[in-house]
Amino acid sequence: MVTGIILINTERSKTNDVAKALIDTHGITEVFSVGGRFDLVALCRVNTNDQLADLVNVAMANNQNIVKTETLIAFQAFSKHDLEAMFSIGN
């Protein structure tokens, strides 16, 4: 499983439209509206790097309201939920 974190800048006043379109895109699991340098952060989970590349370079590139993306690929995932489950002795 490949996890991508995609940082997105949108056209002015189109952030909600882009978020709604992205959440319906296969492979994207969550979309966050954020403050700072970027307008949105999308989390995606796909099977291969090629699928991640298609998601960014085809699906997102076709959305005229997306101005810029920056894609991060996760090497490892650390989750508080996972750590608690790992160290739990059961209830």
Side-chain angles (χ1 to χ4, degrees):
M1 178 71 60
V2 177
T3 301
I5 299 100
I6 306 166
L7 310 172
I8 303 162
N9 287 113
T10 65
E11 287 289 344
R12 184 176 222 158
S13 77
K14 297 296 183 179
T15 302
N16 287 344
D17 294 338
V18 171
K20 290 174 186 174
L22 289 176
I23 202 63
D24 290 333
T25 303
H26 179 71
I28 294 183
T29 58
E30 298 171 79
V31 178
F32 301 92
S33 175
V34 296
R37 288 187 328 158
F38 298 95
D39 302 311
L40 296 170
V41 174
L43 298 182
C44 67
R45 290 179 176 83
V46 292
N47 292 321
T48 67
N49 285 341
D50 288 337
Q51 289 175 326
L52 178 59
D54 285 343
L55 182 67
V56 174
N57 295 321
V58 178
M60 288 187 166
N62 288 331
N63 188 322
Q64 299 299 315
N65 293 320
I66 294 177
V67 175
K68 179 183 173 192
T69 64
E70 186 172 330
T71 304
L72 309 172
I73 297 175
F75 294 132
Q76 274 185 301
F78 299 91
S79 167
K80 183 176 180 179
H81 175 69
D82 292 341
L83 291 174
E84 287 174 353
M86 186 170 40
F87 291 106
S88 173
I89 57 174
N91 292 329

